[in-house]
Amino acid sequence: MRTPTSAVARKSVLAVAGAAALAISSFAAAAPAGAAPTVYSKGGTSWVRACDTLAKGDTVSCHALKVVNTPQQLSPNATPSGLGPSDLLSAYKLPANGGAGMTIAIVDAYDDPNAESDMNAYRAQFGLPSCTTANGCFKKVNETGGTKYPRANSGWAGEISLDLDMVSAIAPNAHVILVEASTANMTDLGASVNTAVKLGAKFVSNSYGGAESSSDLTYDNTYFNHPGVAITVSAGDSAYGAQYPASSPNVTAVGGTALHRDSSARGWSESVWSTSSTEGTGSGCSAYEPKPTWQKDTGCSHRTVSDVSAVADPATGVAVYQTYGGSGWAVYGGTSASSPIIAGVYALAGTPSASIPAADGYSHTSALNDVTTGSNGTCSPSYLCTAGAGYDGPTGNGTPNGLAAFTG
């Protein structure tokens, strides 16, 4: 390899390589013993799964993907890479400075010791109001509502940072509750959803999932039966195939797109996020869950995933500030980004009036951006994995185009 003759060039190369190495090494603990995390690439962008080990049994995996070939900046005042709040508000025609009087909960596993300070570094960078324990805006609790937090985990800390930053970007004046489950088991995360609602959240974002099972019908009633609460769930990052809890008929299943600036009247375009046959937004026909009355597609007799969607492609990812398991500014993607974005949109629209807020999008389809290109796999009937005019599995009814599709 040719050695750079310029000291400045050499430092630049080392900085990029060092940032990528640090990002990859921070997830080594999440991978099986002795194995490095898998690096995924698309169009010159590379990333790893924040929770590298895929879910097994009743254990779920977070759906955050961290870009590893973007230099991480140590200063919170540095200009970050990735989409910021103004980009997201522009792409989805959302009002700025919204969310006042609303409470959004984030449910994740394990503890991020730096969650509050990192979120406020993100907010300060983009001129958003501070949200702290001291000013009454932020609250962090364990799955029972107490303050004895679970053990810290650097992979899930990236998920937590992503979630908190996305609700901050979309609904900066909402109060935020972070509920940290003791483990990544569905029973602990489900108990955390119950705690979030008990503490007053009308919007609860869940950026995790795993294989469906016959236990899901019990989980629906035990953990996700909260009429009048908008519970958003990531559709998954493993391409075509339904995951739980996104397949629960009690939640809003959120798929993922690639989001690009363009010269259209909207100024943006979207397509189904797909990296390969094994990575991309989730979608599909549930093996167990009944079809909700408000879902009218005819190619799946059970619950179809997804309902709506938002940006998730790491190649068009969002800016995130993370210091536990990270070194400052980073870029993230995955449907872990789209779920808290949609939770924030629901908060902008106000307290839900529908028993299951997911139904609103089906009666206001003209108020969504219909995503008509892209596929996340091969399936039959094709709409379950391929975008087209109207409803499809990967993107649901579309992405936000203002707030009308998220109000009763």
Side-chain angles (χ1 to χ4, degrees):
M1 181 177 69
R2 185 185 299 271
T3 302
T5 56
S6 162
V8 173
R10 181 166 57 252
K11 288 181 179 180
S12 176
V13 170
L14 290 174
V16 174
L22 176 62
I24 294 174
S25 66
S26 69
F27 297 107
T38 300
V39 178
Y40 301 84
S41 297
K42 174 185 175 184
T45 302
S46 299
W47 58 88
V48 294
R49 294 179 183 266
C51 304
D52 192 69
T53 303
L54 295 178
K56 295 181 180 179
D58 284 342
T59 300
V60 302
S61 178
C62 77
H63 291 317
L65 305 177
K66 186 172 186 178
V67 174
V68 295
N69 63 342
T70 297
Q72 293 184 315
Q73 299 135 322
L74 299 179
S75 170
N77 297 316
T79 302
S81 301
L83 299 174
S86 63
D87 298 312
L88 297 172
L89 298 184
S90 169
Y92 297 128
K93 293 187 179 178
L94 303 174
N97 305 311
M102 302 293 108
T103 298
I104 305 172
I106 298 296
V107 171
D108 282 312
Y110 305 111
D111 180 39
D112 176 2
N114 301 347
E116 182 174 349
S117 60
D118 283 357
M119 176 182 65
N120 282 287
Y122 177 93
R123 286 170 171 258
Q125 169 67 38
F126 293 109
L128 305 176
S130 64
C131 184
T132 65
T133 302
N135 68 18
C137 173
F138 180 72
K139 179 182 291 186
K140 184 171 85 168
V141 298
N142 62 25
E143 67 181 63
T144 61
T147 55
K148 185 178 180 180
Y149 306 122
R151 66 180 177 86
N153 180 284
S154 61
W156 278 86
E159 175 65 67
I160 290 170
S161 291
L162 170 59
D163 293 343
L164 292 175
D165 289 356
M166 289 306 96
V167 297
S168 296
I170 302 301
N173 286 304
H175 284 196
V176 180
I177 302 172
L178 171 60
V179 187
E180 297 181 330
S182 298
T183 74
N185 189 279
M186 194 61 246
T187 56
D188 287 319
L189 288 159
S192 299
V193 173
N194 288 342
T195 293
V197 177
K198 183 179 179 180
L199 292 175
K202 289 295 185 181
F203 318 93
V204 184
S205 178
N206 304 267
S207 292
Y208 55 83
E212 292 189 296
S213 78
S214 57
S215 300
D216 296 347
L217 300 177
T218 299
Y219 293 156
D220 289 340
N221 291 323
T222 305
Y223 304 126
F224 297 101
N225 184 20
H226 296 289
V229 177
I231 302 174
T232 64
V233 181
S234 300
D237 296 346
S238 299
Y240 178 66
Q243 292 190 9
Y244 189 84
S247 60
S248 170
N250 296 336
V251 311
T252 300
V254 185
T257 68
L259 175 66
H260 297 275
R261 286 187 180 274
D262 67 10
S263 59
S264 67
R266 177 188 173 193
W268 301 85
S269 62
E270 288 177 277
S271 58
V272 173
W273 164 46
S274 177
T275 303
S276 68
S277 61
T278 59
E279 188 183 75
T281 183
S283 72
C285 182
S286 173
Y288 300 97
E289 296 286 2
K291 196 168 200 68
T293 57
W294 34 266
Q295 206 168 45
K296 304 299 184 183
D297 61 300
T298 59
C300 169
S301 60
H302 289 171
R303 166 73 154 120
T304 309
V305 176
S306 298
D307 298 313
V308 293
S309 52
V311 61
D313 189 343
T316 65
V318 297
V320 171
Y321 192 76
Q322 176 196 2
T323 60
Y324 190 79
S327 59
W329 288 107
V331 175
Y332 270 86
T335 53
S336 278
S338 55
S339 177
I341 287 172
I342 295 300
V345 174
Y346 274 118
L348 294 180
T351 302
S353 58
S355 177
I356 301 178
D360 291 333
Y362 290 81
S363 57
H364 298 85
T365 56
S366 62
L368 293 162
N369 299 304
D370 191 9
V371 180
T372 60
T373 60
S375 173
N376 66 348
T378 302
C379 64
S380 180
S382 62
Y383 80 90
L384 294 174
C385 62
T386 302
Y391 179 84
D392 57 72
T395 67
N397 290 303
T399 63
N401 183 14
L403 300 178
F406 299 87
T407 58

PDB file of all heavy atoms in Angstrom, residues 37 42 103 117 138 156 159 194 205 222 224 240 248 299 312 384:
ATOM      1  N   PRO A  37     -18.122  -8.839  14.692  1.00  0.00           N
ATOM      2  CA  PRO A  37     -19.444  -8.565  14.145  1.00  0.00           C
ATOM      3  C   PRO A  37     -19.412  -8.512  12.626  1.00  0.00           C
ATOM      4  O   PRO A  37     -18.427  -8.094  12.021  1.00  0.00           O
ATOM      5  CB  PRO A  37     -19.804  -7.203  14.747  1.00  0.00           C
ATOM      6  CG  PRO A  37     -18.496  -6.583  15.104  1.00  0.00           C
ATOM      7  CD  PRO A  37     -17.605  -7.721  15.499  1.00  0.00           C
ATOM      8  N   LYS A  42     -23.183  -1.154   1.460  1.00  0.00           N
ATOM      9  CA  LYS A  42     -24.055  -0.789   0.345  1.00  0.00           C
ATOM     10  C   LYS A  42     -23.647   0.595  -0.145  1.00  0.00           C
ATOM     11  O   LYS A  42     -23.579   1.539   0.646  1.00  0.00           O
ATOM     12  CB  LYS A  42     -25.523  -0.767   0.787  1.00  0.00           C
ATOM     13  CG  LYS A  42     -26.507  -0.265  -0.269  1.00  0.00           C
ATOM     14  CD  LYS A  42     -27.901  -0.170   0.317  1.00  0.00           C
ATOM     15  CE  LYS A  42     -28.892   0.436  -0.651  1.00  0.00           C
ATOM     16  NZ  LYS A  42     -30.232   0.599  -0.033  1.00  0.00           N
ATOM     17  N   THR A 103     -46.274  12.917  26.278  1.00  0.00           N
ATOM     18  CA  THR A 103     -45.215  12.108  26.892  1.00  0.00           C
ATOM     19  C   THR A 103     -44.956  10.888  26.023  1.00  0.00           C
ATOM     20  O   THR A 103     -45.857  10.095  25.763  1.00  0.00           O
ATOM     21  CB  THR A 103     -45.599  11.655  28.312  1.00  0.00           C
ATOM     22  OG1 THR A 103     -45.783  12.799  29.142  1.00  0.00           O
ATOM     23  CG2 THR A 103     -44.499  10.787  28.917  1.00  0.00           C
ATOM     24  N   SER A 117     -27.282  12.666  29.234  1.00  0.00           N
ATOM     25  CA  SER A 117     -26.303  13.644  28.762  1.00  0.00           C
ATOM     26  C   SER A 117     -26.106  13.562  27.257  1.00  0.00           C
ATOM     27  O   SER A 117     -25.962  14.596  26.584  1.00  0.00           O
ATOM     28  CB  SER A 117     -24.968  13.456  29.497  1.00  0.00           C
ATOM     29  OG  SER A 117     -24.446  12.158  29.285  1.00  0.00           O
ATOM     30  N   PHE A 138     -37.325  14.772  31.460  1.00  0.00           N
ATOM     31  CA  PHE A 138     -36.795  13.421  31.230  1.00  0.00           C
ATOM     32  C   PHE A 138     -36.887  12.573  32.490  1.00  0.00           C
ATOM     33  O   PHE A 138     -36.672  13.056  33.603  1.00  0.00           O
ATOM     34  CB  PHE A 138     -35.330  13.510  30.778  1.00  0.00           C
ATOM     35  CG  PHE A 138     -34.694  12.170  30.521  1.00  0.00           C
ATOM     36  CD1 PHE A 138     -35.041  11.415  29.412  1.00  0.00           C
ATOM     37  CD2 PHE A 138     -33.741  11.665  31.401  1.00  0.00           C
ATOM     38  CE1 PHE A 138     -34.446  10.185  29.163  1.00  0.00           C
ATOM     39  CE2 PHE A 138     -33.139  10.428  31.169  1.00  0.00           C
ATOM     40  CZ  PHE A 138     -33.494   9.690  30.048  1.00  0.00           C
ATOM     41  N   TRP A 156     -26.858  -2.054  23.247  1.00  0.00           N
ATOM     42  CA  TRP A 156     -28.185  -1.482  23.475  1.00  0.00           C
ATOM     43  C   TRP A 156     -28.099   0.009  23.795  1.00  0.00           C
ATOM     44  O   TRP A 156     -29.063   0.753  23.570  1.00  0.00           O
ATOM     45  CB  TRP A 156     -28.912  -2.236  24.584  1.00  0.00           C
ATOM     46  CG  TRP A 156     -29.561  -3.498  24.104  1.00  0.00           C
ATOM     47  CD1 TRP A 156     -28.999  -4.731  23.994  1.00  0.00           C
ATOM     48  CD2 TRP A 156     -30.918  -3.652  23.663  1.00  0.00           C
ATOM     49  NE1 TRP A 156     -29.911  -5.645  23.509  1.00  0.00           N
ATOM     50  CE2 TRP A 156     -31.098  -5.018  23.303  1.00  0.00           C
ATOM     51  CE3 TRP A 156     -32.003  -2.785  23.530  1.00  0.00           C
ATOM     52  CZ2 TRP A 156     -32.306  -5.520  22.824  1.00  0.00           C
ATOM     53  CZ3 TRP A 156     -33.222  -3.289  23.056  1.00  0.00           C
ATOM     54  CH2 TRP A 156     -33.364  -4.640  22.702  1.00  0.00           C
ATOM     55  N   GLU A 159     -28.677   1.726  20.664  1.00  0.00           N
ATOM     56  CA  GLU A 159     -30.113   1.725  20.395  1.00  0.00           C
ATOM     57  C   GLU A 159     -30.812   2.824  21.185  1.00  0.00           C
ATOM     58  O   GLU A 159     -31.644   3.570  20.650  1.00  0.00           O
ATOM     59  CB  GLU A 159     -30.700   0.361  20.754  1.00  0.00           C
ATOM     60  CG  GLU A 159     -32.205   0.258  20.641  1.00  0.00           C
ATOM     61  CD  GLU A 159     -32.689   0.415  19.219  1.00  0.00           C
ATOM     62  OE1 GLU A 159     -32.406  -0.460  18.394  1.00  0.00           O
ATOM     63  OE2 GLU A 159     -33.349   1.434  18.943  1.00  0.00           O
ATOM     64  N   ASN A 194     -45.743  -1.987  29.842  1.00  0.00           N
ATOM     65  CA  ASN A 194     -46.785  -1.739  30.839  1.00  0.00           C
ATOM     66  C   ASN A 194     -46.395  -0.607  31.788  1.00  0.00           C
ATOM     67  O   ASN A 194     -47.223   0.247  32.147  1.00  0.00           O
ATOM     68  CB  ASN A 194     -47.064  -3.010  31.642  1.00  0.00           C
ATOM     69  CG  ASN A 194     -47.794  -4.067  30.837  1.00  0.00           C
ATOM     70  OD1 ASN A 194     -48.384  -3.778  29.798  1.00  0.00           O
ATOM     71  ND2 ASN A 194     -47.761  -5.308  31.314  1.00  0.00           N
ATOM     72  N   SER A 205     -42.417   3.718  21.978  1.00  0.00           N
ATOM     73  CA  SER A 205     -41.637   3.203  20.857  1.00  0.00           C
ATOM     74  C   SER A 205     -40.831   1.983  21.281  1.00  0.00           C
ATOM     75  O   SER A 205     -40.182   1.984  22.334  1.00  0.00           O
ATOM     76  CB  SER A 205     -40.685   4.282  20.328  1.00  0.00           C
ATOM     77  OG  SER A 205     -39.896   3.771  19.264  1.00  0.00           O
ATOM     78  N   THR A 222     -51.178  -9.468  27.458  1.00  0.00           N
ATOM     79  CA  THR A 222     -50.468  -9.168  28.703  1.00  0.00           C
ATOM     80  C   THR A 222     -49.697  -7.860  28.638  1.00  0.00           C
ATOM     81  O   THR A 222     -49.646  -7.115  29.622  1.00  0.00           O
ATOM     82  CB  THR A 222     -49.497 -10.313  29.037  1.00  0.00           C
ATOM     83  OG1 THR A 222     -50.212 -11.545  29.079  1.00  0.00           O
ATOM     84  CG2 THR A 222     -48.825 -10.086  30.386  1.00  0.00           C
ATOM     85  N   PHE A 224     -49.379  -5.628  25.401  1.00  0.00           N
ATOM     86  CA  PHE A 224     -49.634  -4.634  24.354  1.00  0.00           C
ATOM     87  C   PHE A 224     -51.099  -4.234  24.229  1.00  0.00           C
ATOM     88  O   PHE A 224     -51.464  -3.541  23.282  1.00  0.00           O
ATOM     89  CB  PHE A 224     -49.107  -5.162  23.009  1.00  0.00           C
ATOM     90  CG  PHE A 224     -47.620  -5.362  23.003  1.00  0.00           C
ATOM     91  CD1 PHE A 224     -47.070  -6.632  23.151  1.00  0.00           C
ATOM     92  CD2 PHE A 224     -46.761  -4.284  22.885  1.00  0.00           C
ATOM     93  CE1 PHE A 224     -45.697  -6.823  23.179  1.00  0.00           C
ATOM     94  CE2 PHE A 224     -45.382  -4.454  22.906  1.00  0.00           C
ATOM     95  CZ  PHE A 224     -44.850  -5.731  23.049  1.00  0.00           C
ATOM     96  N   TYR A 240     -37.429  -9.732   4.157  1.00  0.00           N
ATOM     97  CA  TYR A 240     -38.791 -10.276   4.160  1.00  0.00           C
ATOM     98  C   TYR A 240     -38.995 -11.307   5.260  1.00  0.00           C
ATOM     99  O   TYR A 240     -38.190 -12.220   5.448  1.00  0.00           O
ATOM    100  CB  TYR A 240     -39.106 -10.893   2.800  1.00  0.00           C
ATOM    101  CG  TYR A 240     -40.477 -11.517   2.745  1.00  0.00           C
ATOM    102  CD1 TYR A 240     -41.616 -10.736   2.842  1.00  0.00           C
ATOM    103  CD2 TYR A 240     -40.619 -12.899   2.617  1.00  0.00           C
ATOM    104  CE1 TYR A 240     -42.883 -11.308   2.800  1.00  0.00           C
ATOM    105  CE2 TYR A 240     -41.879 -13.475   2.570  1.00  0.00           C
ATOM    106  CZ  TYR A 240     -43.009 -12.679   2.671  1.00  0.00           C
ATOM    107  OH  TYR A 240     -44.256 -13.252   2.637  1.00  0.00           O
ATOM    108  N   SER A 248     -48.029  -7.872  16.187  1.00  0.00           N
ATOM    109  CA  SER A 248     -49.187  -7.751  17.071  1.00  0.00           C
ATOM    110  C   SER A 248     -50.216  -6.815  16.456  1.00  0.00           C
ATOM    111  O   SER A 248     -49.879  -5.725  15.988  1.00  0.00           O
ATOM    112  CB  SER A 248     -48.768  -7.204  18.444  1.00  0.00           C
ATOM    113  OG  SER A 248     -49.912  -6.880  19.215  1.00  0.00           O
ATOM    114  N   GLY A 299     -54.237 -10.688   0.412  1.00  0.00           N
ATOM    115  CA  GLY A 299     -53.271 -11.756   0.175  1.00  0.00           C
ATOM    116  C   GLY A 299     -52.726 -12.403   1.419  1.00  0.00           C
ATOM    117  O   GLY A 299     -51.890 -13.313   1.340  1.00  0.00           O
ATOM    118  N   ALA A 312     -34.900   4.288   7.212  1.00  0.00           N
ATOM    119  CA  ALA A 312     -34.211   3.250   7.981  1.00  0.00           C
ATOM    120  C   ALA A 312     -32.897   2.803   7.339  1.00  0.00           C
ATOM    121  O   ALA A 312     -32.078   2.177   8.012  1.00  0.00           O
ATOM    122  CB  ALA A 312     -35.125   2.033   8.159  1.00  0.00           C
ATOM    123  N   LEU A 384     -46.518  -8.315  -0.564  1.00  0.00           N
ATOM    124  CA  LEU A 384     -46.011  -8.516   0.787  1.00  0.00           C
ATOM    125  C   LEU A 384     -44.531  -8.171   0.909  1.00  0.00           C
ATOM    126  O   LEU A 384     -44.040  -7.934   2.023  1.00  0.00           O
ATOM    127  CB  LEU A 384     -46.243  -9.957   1.236  1.00  0.00           C
ATOM    128  CG  LEU A 384     -47.698 -10.379   1.404  1.00  0.00           C
ATOM    129  CD1 LEU A 384     -47.783 -11.873   1.701  1.00  0.00           C
ATOM    130  CD2 LEU A 384     -48.377  -9.569   2.514  1.00  0.00           C
TER     131      LEU A 384
END
